Amino acid sequence: MITLIIGGSGSGKSAYAEEYICKKAGDCRKYYLATMQVYDDEGRKKVEKHRQQRQGKGFHTIEMPRNVEKTVKVIKSDTNVNKNMVLLECISNLTANEMFTDQGTSDCETVSDKIIEGIVSLNDSVDELVIVTNNVFEDGDDYEEGTMEYLRALGRINERLASMADRVVEIVAGIPVEVK
Amino acid sequence: MRLVVGGYAQGKLHAVTRRLADDQYEIFDGILPDEEVTTRLEDDTIVIIYNLHRWVRERIKQNASPEEEIAEFVEKENNCIIISNETGNGIVPKDAFEREYRERTGKILVSLAEEADEVWRIICGIPQKIK
């Protein structure tokens, strides 16, 4: 089962996603798939803040800035697990990491197909998948071409994830608003 | 306290005042009135804080603590309606101040929503009660 959680900066989407998964988890093993790549002090602080927010909630953190499908191997190697839940946070970072690499910029189709395929194979090996994504679409459409391509990719991925998802929730000022 | 959020130019203030036809209210645009001002208002006057996000922006620029100030304000001034733009639904800006402003405004709205008796979201002038 897939739950897709969408919200803007500072909307409280992470806190909601963590609470949601903790409430549902019971004795499931909880994995936290962290996609953020740290480049500077601000990034370090952000990661630290999220770590503190998760502390004591029993998450097993897996750093996976790219290639989410590789998580399947890690999860399958944990043999003494009956049921597992995965919190994937977040698609906006994952998309940026897959799109803008040292080798250059990939196009919208390549990136969105790769990410969706990765998530489909991840979903096949977990009992519950909660995905956090970002609403970056309501503040203009006049950016440089790389950013426009990124917007198209993320929009396409969100659309496909939402159609795969059993439940889609938008977080507004910390409040869940059911979309699907 | 009631909280009203929505994007730019979504008819937030109009949606609020339309519903307050028989009530007395006073609009403060982009500022938090101090006690001297609010005590001079007639009893039962609803204090409307409009464009809260602009006030947050100014306070961050002034190195103040808008989080604490707004919490204190709503504690004292319970008969109020706070209206703010939703500022977080865009591409994360390159400028560090802009990023901080969006993040902190968002978090302030989350805290206000927790405290609020009602939370409304306005899209295309249409109010949606989400709490």
Side-chain angles (χ1 to χ4, degrees):
Chain A
M1 164 151 172
I2 296 179
T3 303
L4 182 67
I5 295 169
I6 184 160
S9 315
S11 62
K13 57 188 185 301
S14 307
Y16 176 81
E18 285 163 24
E19 210 186 296
Y20 177 76
I21 215 166
C22 286
K23 264 191 200 153
K24 281 192 95 175
D27 56 357
C28 282
R29 193 174 175 91
K30 298 191 291 285
Y31 295 95
Y32 180 88
L33 241 63
T35 58
M36 193 170 160
Q37 265 178 324
V38 174
Y39 297 103
D40 55 12
D41 238 29
E42 190 180 325
R44 255 187 295 281
K45 276 184 196 148
K46 199 153 189 162
V47 167
E48 195 40 51
K49 209 181 87 190
H50 277 255
R51 264 193 203 132
Q52 278 173 9
Q53 199 176 290
R54 285 200 307 278
Q55 216 173 34
K57 293 180 181 166
F59 280 101
H60 299 264
T61 300
I62 304 173
E63 306 273 348
M64 204 57 78
R66 280 187 199 91
N67 309 312
V68 278
E69 62 281 359
K70 288 189 179 159
T71 323
V72 174
K73 229 175 159 181
V74 182
I75 292 175
K76 283 197 168 150
S77 66
D78 284 347
T79 47
N80 54 348
V81 177
N82 283 335
K83 274 185 134 190
N84 53 46
M85 291 179 91
V86 170
L87 172 53
L88 169 56
E89 180 157 20
C90 67
I91 300 301
S92 51
N93 281 329
L94 181 64
T95 304
N97 297 341
E98 293 280 12
M99 190 162 214
F100 308 110
T101 62
D102 295 340
Q103 284 78 47
T105 305
S106 305
D107 65 273
C108 161
E109 281 73 24
T110 313
V111 170
S112 49
D113 287 350
K114 179 170 191 282
I115 289 177
I116 292 294
E117 274 167 35
I119 290 174
V120 166
S121 71
L122 172 65
N123 186 44
D124 284 342
S125 62
V126 301
D127 296 291
E128 180 105 25
L129 180 58
V130 177
I131 304 172
V132 175
T133 190
N134 210 321
N135 179 0
V136 294
F137 305 99
E138 298 177 11
D139 196 18
D141 63 352
D142 186 20
Y143 299 100
E144 53 183 299
E145 190 38 40
T147 308
M148 293 308 295
E149 188 74 358
Y150 170 78
L151 280 171
R152 285 190 288 271
L154 185 57
R156 201 180 148 113
I157 294 165
N158 283 350
E159 213 181 312
R160 287 165 79 178
L161 289 176
S163 78
M164 283 156 63
D166 303 270
R167 185 171 171 238
V168 181
V169 192
E170 183 187 8
I171 308 300
V172 181
I175 297 167
V177 178
E178 301 288 330
V179 180
K180 177 183 169 184
Chain B
M1 183 260 289
R2 285 170 276 180
L3 177 68
V4 177
V5 296
Y8 178 69
Q10 294 300 301
K12 297 184 291 297
L13 182 61
H14 187 216
V16 167
T17 53
R18 208 168 41 207
R19 288 178 164 250
L20 297 179
D22 302 325
D23 298 297
Q24 196 163 332
Y25 57 82
E26 186 81 34
I27 301 169
F28 297 91
D29 189 354
I31 52 162
L32 278 196
D34 52 33
E35 252 182 303
E36 212 178 296
V37 175
T38 52
T39 46
R40 259 189 275 139
L41 297 171
E42 272 179 55
D43 288 349
D44 299 332
T45 302
I46 300 168
V47 172
I48 299 179
I49 307 298
Y50 182 46
N51 287 322
L52 180 84
H53 61 287
R54 288 198 189 141
W55 171 82
V56 172
R57 192 184 182 89
E58 282 311 304
R59 296 309 282 155
I60 296 175
K61 268 193 197 160
Q62 292 157 359
N63 266 325
S65 175
E67 291 83 359
E68 282 169 30
E69 290 170 30
I70 189 69
E72 278 169 27
F73 178 83
V74 294
E75 209 183 299
K76 280 189 210 140
E77 202 57 56
N78 206 266
N79 193 18
C80 71
I81 299 175
I82 295 176
I83 305 176
S84 175
N85 276 18
E86 166 59 70
T87 59
N89 292 346
I91 279 286
V92 177
K94 280 183 186 150
D95 183 77
F97 175 81
E98 291 296 327
R99 278 200 301 277
E100 182 186 345
Y101 157 64
R102 280 162 175 73
E103 190 72 28
R104 284 176 73 177
T105 304
K107 292 291 175 230
I108 286 173
L109 295 181
V110 172
S111 320
L112 287 172
E114 261 171 42
E115 293 296 317
D117 302 298
E118 292 175 13
V119 180
W120 293 79
R121 178 204 213 182
I122 317 293
I123 299 174
C124 306
I126 297 168
Q128 226 185 345
K129 191 180 182 187
I130 59 173
K131 178 182 171 183

PDB file of all heavy atoms in Angstrom, chain A residues 60-73:
ATOM      1  N   HIS A  60      14.984   2.840  11.256  1.00  0.00           N
ATOM      2  CA  HIS A  60      16.291   2.433  10.754  1.00  0.00           C
ATOM      3  C   HIS A  60      16.570   3.290   9.530  1.00  0.00           C
ATOM      4  O   HIS A  60      15.854   3.191   8.541  1.00  0.00           O
ATOM      5  CB  HIS A  60      16.283   0.954  10.370  1.00  0.00           C
ATOM      6  CG  HIS A  60      15.983   0.064  11.529  1.00  0.00           C
ATOM      7  ND1 HIS A  60      16.968  -0.537  12.268  1.00  0.00           N
ATOM      8  CD2 HIS A  60      14.812  -0.273  12.100  1.00  0.00           C
ATOM      9  CE1 HIS A  60      16.408  -1.221  13.248  1.00  0.00           C
ATOM     10  NE2 HIS A  60      15.101  -1.080  13.168  1.00  0.00           N
ATOM     11  N   THR A  61      17.586   4.141   9.638  1.00  0.00           N
ATOM     12  CA  THR A  61      17.831   5.089   8.549  1.00  0.00           C
ATOM     13  C   THR A  61      18.721   4.479   7.473  1.00  0.00           C
ATOM     14  O   THR A  61      19.745   3.864   7.779  1.00  0.00           O
ATOM     15  CB  THR A  61      18.487   6.367   9.106  1.00  0.00           C
ATOM     16  OG1 THR A  61      17.595   6.932  10.069  1.00  0.00           O
ATOM     17  CG2 THR A  61      18.738   7.387   8.008  1.00  0.00           C
ATOM     18  N   ILE A  62      18.297   4.613   6.228  1.00  0.00           N
ATOM     19  CA  ILE A  62      19.122   4.204   5.088  1.00  0.00           C
ATOM     20  C   ILE A  62      19.343   5.444   4.230  1.00  0.00           C
ATOM     21  O   ILE A  62      18.388   6.072   3.795  1.00  0.00           O
ATOM     22  CB  ILE A  62      18.416   3.112   4.231  1.00  0.00           C
ATOM     23  CG1 ILE A  62      18.028   1.899   5.088  1.00  0.00           C
ATOM     24  CG2 ILE A  62      19.295   2.692   3.065  1.00  0.00           C
ATOM     25  CD1 ILE A  62      17.186   0.860   4.349  1.00  0.00           C
ATOM     26  N   GLU A  63      20.616   5.792   4.022  1.00  0.00           N
ATOM     27  CA  GLU A  63      20.916   6.944   3.178  1.00  0.00           C
ATOM     28  C   GLU A  63      20.866   6.497   1.720  1.00  0.00           C
ATOM     29  O   GLU A  63      21.601   5.594   1.325  1.00  0.00           O
ATOM     30  CB  GLU A  63      22.331   7.473   3.483  1.00  0.00           C
ATOM     31  CG  GLU A  63      22.598   7.795   4.926  1.00  0.00           C
ATOM     32  CD  GLU A  63      22.198   9.220   5.303  1.00  0.00           C
ATOM     33  OE1 GLU A  63      21.925  10.037   4.404  1.00  0.00           O
ATOM     34  OE2 GLU A  63      22.159   9.492   6.524  1.00  0.00           O
ATOM     35  N   MET A  64      19.997   7.095   0.950  1.00  0.00           N
ATOM     36  CA  MET A  64      19.833   6.673  -0.445  1.00  0.00           C
ATOM     37  C   MET A  64      19.536   7.884  -1.335  1.00  0.00           C
ATOM     38  O   MET A  64      18.414   8.084  -1.779  1.00  0.00           O
ATOM     39  CB  MET A  64      18.704   5.633  -0.508  1.00  0.00           C
ATOM     40  CG  MET A  64      18.733   4.683  -1.676  1.00  0.00           C
ATOM     41  SD  MET A  64      20.243   3.717  -1.856  1.00  0.00           S
ATOM     42  CE  MET A  64      20.011   2.448  -0.607  1.00  0.00           C
ATOM     43  N   PRO A  65      20.565   8.685  -1.619  1.00  0.00           N
ATOM     44  CA  PRO A  65      20.317   9.895  -2.423  1.00  0.00           C
ATOM     45  C   PRO A  65      19.935   9.603  -3.879  1.00  0.00           C
ATOM     46  O   PRO A  65      19.385  10.461  -4.553  1.00  0.00           O
ATOM     47  CB  PRO A  65      21.647  10.646  -2.346  1.00  0.00           C
ATOM     48  CG  PRO A  65      22.657   9.660  -1.919  1.00  0.00           C
ATOM     49  CD  PRO A  65      21.959   8.598  -1.153  1.00  0.00           C
ATOM     50  N   ARG A  66      20.271   8.400  -4.355  1.00  0.00           N
ATOM     51  CA  ARG A  66      19.909   7.966  -5.718  1.00  0.00           C
ATOM     52  C   ARG A  66      19.553   6.493  -5.676  1.00  0.00           C
ATOM     53  O   ARG A  66      19.791   5.828  -4.688  1.00  0.00           O
ATOM     54  CB  ARG A  66      21.113   8.097  -6.660  1.00  0.00           C
ATOM     55  CG  ARG A  66      21.337   9.473  -7.150  1.00  0.00           C
ATOM     56  CD  ARG A  66      22.429   9.524  -8.216  1.00  0.00           C
ATOM     57  NE  ARG A  66      22.859  10.910  -8.263  1.00  0.00           N
ATOM     58  CZ  ARG A  66      23.845  11.405  -7.526  1.00  0.00           C
ATOM     59  NH1 ARG A  66      24.551  10.624  -6.749  1.00  0.00           N
ATOM     60  NH2 ARG A  66      24.135  12.682  -7.586  1.00  0.00           N
ATOM     61  N   ASN A  67      19.037   5.974  -6.791  1.00  0.00           N
ATOM     62  CA  ASN A  67      18.829   4.528  -6.954  1.00  0.00           C
ATOM     63  C   ASN A  67      18.048   3.878  -5.810  1.00  0.00           C
ATOM     64  O   ASN A  67      18.544   2.956  -5.161  1.00  0.00           O
ATOM     65  CB  ASN A  67      20.174   3.798  -7.111  1.00  0.00           C
ATOM     66  CG  ASN A  67      21.049   4.434  -8.178  1.00  0.00           C
ATOM     67  OD1 ASN A  67      20.577   4.707  -9.282  1.00  0.00           O
ATOM     68  ND2 ASN A  67      22.298   4.698  -7.844  1.00  0.00           N
ATOM     69  N   VAL A  68      16.848   4.331  -5.578  1.00  0.00           N
ATOM     70  CA  VAL A  68      16.063   3.778  -4.454  1.00  0.00           C
ATOM     71  C   VAL A  68      15.881   2.270  -4.564  1.00  0.00           C
ATOM     72  O   VAL A  68      15.693   1.595  -3.553  1.00  0.00           O
ATOM     73  CB  VAL A  68      14.662   4.421  -4.310  1.00  0.00           C
ATOM     74  CG1 VAL A  68      14.722   5.721  -3.580  1.00  0.00           C
ATOM     75  CG2 VAL A  68      13.947   4.539  -5.626  1.00  0.00           C
ATOM     76  N   GLU A  69      15.939   1.735  -5.802  1.00  0.00           N
ATOM     77  CA  GLU A  69      15.740   0.283  -5.976  1.00  0.00           C
ATOM     78  C   GLU A  69      16.778  -0.528  -5.200  1.00  0.00           C
ATOM     79  O   GLU A  69      16.537  -1.667  -4.826  1.00  0.00           O
ATOM     80  CB  GLU A  69      15.723  -0.108  -7.463  1.00  0.00           C
ATOM     81  CG  GLU A  69      17.003   0.171  -8.251  1.00  0.00           C
ATOM     82  CD  GLU A  69      17.154   1.643  -8.663  1.00  0.00           C
ATOM     83  OE1 GLU A  69      16.268   2.459  -8.355  1.00  0.00           O
ATOM     84  OE2 GLU A  69      18.190   1.964  -9.278  1.00  0.00           O
ATOM     85  N   LYS A  70      17.930   0.105  -4.934  1.00  0.00           N
ATOM     86  CA  LYS A  70      18.984  -0.616  -4.195  1.00  0.00           C
ATOM     87  C   LYS A  70      18.589  -0.887  -2.747  1.00  0.00           C
ATOM     88  O   LYS A  70      19.182  -1.733  -2.083  1.00  0.00           O
ATOM     89  CB  LYS A  70      20.294   0.181  -4.228  1.00  0.00           C
ATOM     90  CG  LYS A  70      20.937   0.140  -5.589  1.00  0.00           C
ATOM     91  CD  LYS A  70      22.326   0.736  -5.550  1.00  0.00           C
ATOM     92  CE  LYS A  70      22.959   0.662  -6.943  1.00  0.00           C
ATOM     93  NZ  LYS A  70      24.041   1.624  -7.095  1.00  0.00           N
ATOM     94  N   THR A  71      17.581  -0.165  -2.279  1.00  0.00           N
ATOM     95  CA  THR A  71      17.108  -0.372  -0.911  1.00  0.00           C
ATOM     96  C   THR A  71      16.549  -1.778  -0.731  1.00  0.00           C
ATOM     97  O   THR A  71      16.602  -2.349   0.354  1.00  0.00           O
ATOM     98  CB  THR A  71      15.979   0.636  -0.583  1.00  0.00           C
ATOM     99  OG1 THR A  71      16.288   1.865  -1.194  1.00  0.00           O
ATOM    100  CG2 THR A  71      15.836   0.823   0.899  1.00  0.00           C
ATOM    101  N   VAL A  72      15.983  -2.326  -1.818  1.00  0.00           N
ATOM    102  CA  VAL A  72      15.349  -3.646  -1.762  1.00  0.00           C
ATOM    103  C   VAL A  72      16.309  -4.674  -1.179  1.00  0.00           C
ATOM    104  O   VAL A  72      15.943  -5.458  -0.300  1.00  0.00           O
ATOM    105  CB  VAL A  72      14.889  -4.074  -3.183  1.00  0.00           C
ATOM    106  CG1 VAL A  72      14.366  -5.500  -3.173  1.00  0.00           C
ATOM    107  CG2 VAL A  72      13.836  -3.108  -3.710  1.00  0.00           C
ATOM    108  N   LYS A  73      17.566  -4.629  -1.655  1.00  0.00           N
ATOM    109  CA  LYS A  73      18.585  -5.561  -1.204  1.00  0.00           C
ATOM    110  C   LYS A  73      18.813  -5.426   0.308  1.00  0.00           C
ATOM    111  O   LYS A  73      18.901  -6.423   1.022  1.00  0.00           O
ATOM    112  CB  LYS A  73      19.903  -5.259  -1.932  1.00  0.00           C
ATOM    113  CG  LYS A  73      20.553  -6.467  -2.522  1.00  0.00           C
ATOM    114  CD  LYS A  73      21.757  -6.004  -3.304  1.00  0.00           C
ATOM    115  CE  LYS A  73      22.738  -7.131  -3.500  1.00  0.00           C
ATOM    116  NZ  LYS A  73      23.917  -6.661  -4.231  1.00  0.00           N
TER     117      LYS A  73
END
